Amino acid sequence: MTLPQPSTDDIRRILADLIAFDTVSCNSNMALIEYVCAYLAGFGVHAHVLKAKDQPKANMVATIGPNVPGGVVLSGHTDVVPIEGQDWSKPAFELSEENGRLFGRGTADMKGFLAVALAHVPAFVAANLQTPIHLAFSFDEEVGCTGVQEMLPFLSGHIALPRLVVIGEPTSMQVATAHKGQYVAKTRIIGREAHSSRPDDGVNAVVVAAELIRYIDGMAADARESGPFDDAFAPPHTTFNIGPISGGSAFNIISNRCEFDWEFRFLPEEDGPAKIQKYLDHIDSIVLPGMRARFPECDISNEVWAYLPPLKAEPGSDGESFAMNLAQRNASTVVAFGTEAGHFQGLDFPTVVCGPGDIAQAHKPDEYIAISELQACSRFMVRVMEAMAE
């Protein structure tokens, strides 16, 4: 029997629909989820909508075929990054085409993958699958992978152990088996307000923040110079970054409050929590005692508000071999960016990152994906279907 296969026009049409939903992480993704559920229902596929705990968003999980061990999970996030402050020459939330490229926010990261997976649903349904193909779409990947963390308990309790999870982030259809982990934290400093002409009457929280930022920069320099190193990654060591900072109220007031966000990305075999603890020990043993010796009400807190577990390579595993066979690759790679893959691996689900497009185009104005990448992903989906139908 010849199974129906989607055309490039089918994929383009679905991608156009997905791009039209403004799912920047600060917005709801419910309209997109409802669209996907209605689309799946048209082919007799039931979708589980897992509403977020405290916001108008949802994850979605659907299973095609029997829910038995050995299936494949096709997973991706539905949110995209903002366009504010970017100089777009094309409409960000309307698909446009030029020179074999499709433009729009999320085309590469990562609605292109979602569109290809959805376009193949009619073929999946008609294939008489012996092992399942699961779809797992999440919210809020771009702001700390919070959505997938709410999805994990459902996956653990309702999805039979899969042979492979494919996170469809843009890798130009290469199979990535490892990436760094990430911690994101906010440090808050409470000093003591005073007139700027009397600095000894106060503790300047902005100055304390600057001291802590210098300490973090020193941790970055130590990692850069002393390692550990893994040449598979670029750069081959742990990296640190300081994000938004705010504090103070006027030039002539000793600032009593300041806060800043910071993050670090660590190698899969490194001890990420140990780096957090080193920073906290410096605060508790050096910085805070000096502040409180002058004014006991001073304080420093550090809140880890996002954690991205690393994806750890499993060389020679069945999952890696299966993924490379599906992608028709002879070797795997690593990626510098973070994904939801580590969360799936935490469930003991064999996981790789493999999807259409180039991460170099993501998060930029005039984001695009090459049509040839979508076509390559489509061929990947056919091989997934054939493997699950055997």
Side-chain angles (χ1 to χ4, degrees):
M1 179 179 67
T2 301
L3 297 175
Q5 299 298 327
S7 66
T8 300
D9 285 342
D10 293 329
I11 296 170
R12 184 190 289 106
R13 174 180 54 79
I14 294 174
L15 181 56
D17 290 344
L18 297 179
I19 295 301
F21 293 105
D22 179 356
T23 53
V24 171
S25 302
C26 61
N27 300 328
S28 172
N29 74 333
M30 288 303 302
L32 183 150
I33 292 295
E34 290 167 358
Y35 163 88
V36 171
C37 290
Y39 174 84
L40 294 175
F43 300 101
V45 177
H46 172 69
H48 298 272
V49 176
L50 312 173
K51 292 186 177 179
K53 295 177 181 178
D54 56 2
Q55 53 185 326
K57 300 181 181 182
N59 298 305
M60 186 227 68
V61 178
T63 297
I64 303 169
N67 188 16
V68 297
V72 170
V73 179
L74 304 174
S75 183
H77 61 84
T78 60
D79 61 317
V80 298
V81 296
I83 63 170
E84 281 73 24
Q86 296 187 338
D87 185 17
W88 284 71
S89 67
K90 304 177 186 300
F93 298 105
E94 179 182 332
L95 196 70
S96 57
E97 182 176 347
E98 183 178 315
N99 297 327
R101 298 171 175 176
L102 297 175
F103 293 82
R105 173 58 87 219
T107 47
D109 185 16
M110 56 178 295
K111 292 179 177 179
F113 177 80
L114 302 185
V116 175
L118 291 172
H120 280 266
V121 166
F124 294 162
V125 171
N128 190 28
L129 301 179
Q130 302 302 299
T131 44
I133 296 174
H134 308 280
L135 304 178
F137 295 177
S138 66
F139 67 88
D140 280 7
E141 187 270 353
E142 298 288 6
V143 288
C145 292
T146 56
V148 72
Q149 294 178 63
E150 293 190 23
M151 186 197 296
L152 295 178
F154 180 88
L155 295 174
S156 179
H158 294 81
I159 297 297
L161 183 65
R163 187 178 182 186
L164 182 67
V165 177
V166 180
I167 308 295
E169 295 276 7
T171 65
S172 300
M173 295 308 298
Q174 297 184 77
V175 176
T177 57
H179 64 63
K180 294 178 181 179
Q182 180 188 29
Y183 278 95
V184 186
K186 182 183 291 291
T187 297
R188 294 183 175 90
I189 301 101
I190 298 176
R192 179 182 171 93
E193 210 164 51
H195 194 284
S196 63
S197 67
R198 298 177 60 85
D200 290 344
D201 289 349
V203 172
N204 194 314
V206 172
V207 171
V208 174
E211 293 174 356
L212 292 175
I213 290 170
R214 281 196 295 270
Y215 183 80
I216 293 171
D217 194 50
M219 294 174 69
D222 182 62
R224 187 167 53 248
E225 295 167 6
S226 303
F229 302 102
D230 185 339
D231 289 337
F233 292 92
H237 52 77
T238 293
T239 60
F240 292 76
N241 183 57
I242 305 299
I245 180 170
S246 62
S249 57
F251 75 92
N252 56 358
I253 298 175
I254 302 294
S255 302
N256 73 332
R257 291 183 182 272
C258 187
E259 64 180 38
F260 62 92
D261 289 319
W262 65 286
E263 57 99 21
F264 66 95
R265 298 170 187 255
F266 59 100
L267 298 173
E269 301 305 322
E270 277 196 280
D271 187 350
K275 296 185 183 299
I276 292 282
Q277 192 59 51
K278 180 180 179 181
Y279 176 69
L280 295 178
D281 289 346
H282 175 73
I283 290 173
D284 292 339
S285 63
I286 304 297
V287 182
L288 195 53
M291 296 170 65
R292 286 180 171 170
R294 298 176 59 199
F295 300 102
E297 68 269 27
C298 293
D299 195 20
I300 302 174
S301 64
N302 185 74
E303 175 194 3
V304 175
W305 60 266
Y307 167 59
L308 188 70
L311 175 63
K312 297 183 178 182
E314 299 176 335
S317 67
D318 173 71
E320 181 186 64
S321 299
F322 182 44
M324 289 193 293
N325 182 58
L326 293 173
Q328 296 191 335
R329 298 281 179 171
N330 293 323
S332 61
T333 187
V334 305
V335 290
F337 56 90
T339 77
E340 296 173 333
H343 286 293
F344 285 91
Q345 194 175 62
L347 296 178
D348 291 328
F349 288 5
T351 306
V352 300
V353 183
C354 182
D358 188 338
I359 195 64
Q361 308 308 325
H363 297 199
K364 295 168 62 174
D366 291 344
E367 178 181 349
Y368 71 83
I369 191 168
I371 294 174
S372 60
E373 285 288 310
L374 297 176
Q375 292 168 336
C377 186
S378 182
R379 294 190 291 271
F380 177 92
M381 295 294 176
V382 171
R383 291 190 286 271
V384 169
M385 177 184 65
E386 291 173 344
M388 297 299 98
E390 293 179 351

